[in-house]
Amino acid sequence: MESDVELSCHFRFLSLSESQAEQLKSVCKEVDFCRHFKTQKVTASIELSEAVIPALVEFVKLNSVRQSETDIFISVLSEYDSRIVDIPEFINKAIIALGCKLVFSFTCAV
């Protein structure tokens, strides 16, 4: 039954300097950058897994990134309007380790 649910989990930096963005490229191989449409600040999105959490924690500490400038974005796409979805345990570990908020999106594709 889980096969009809798409789950996407990303850690997001909402406001990076140009130098922080360059440093992040060396820390995370798979990172997507763009500019926030309102603030024009550099943003970054990294697919979250247990393996990248330690590198993200280190990057946040070394660059004094404020918790308010990060989040974990979870997107769920389902063909059903009602569904129970188990969020991976590493998400809880990331929230504790990084102290960031959780943003959740649920989309029903009928």
Side-chain angles (χ1 to χ4, degrees), residues 1-6 77-80 83:
M1 219 174 229
E2 283 294 318
S3 63
D4 54 2
V5 174
E6 289 182 39
L77 175 63
S78 176
E79 295 178 2
Y80 301 94
R83 192 54 124 196

Side-chain angles (χ1 to χ4, degrees), residues 2-3 18 41 53-54 59 63 69 80 83 97 99:
E2 283 294 318
S3 63
E18 296 290 337
K41 301 242 179 176
I53 295 171
F59 180 85
N63 289 279
E69 295 175 339
Y80 301 94
R83 192 54 124 196

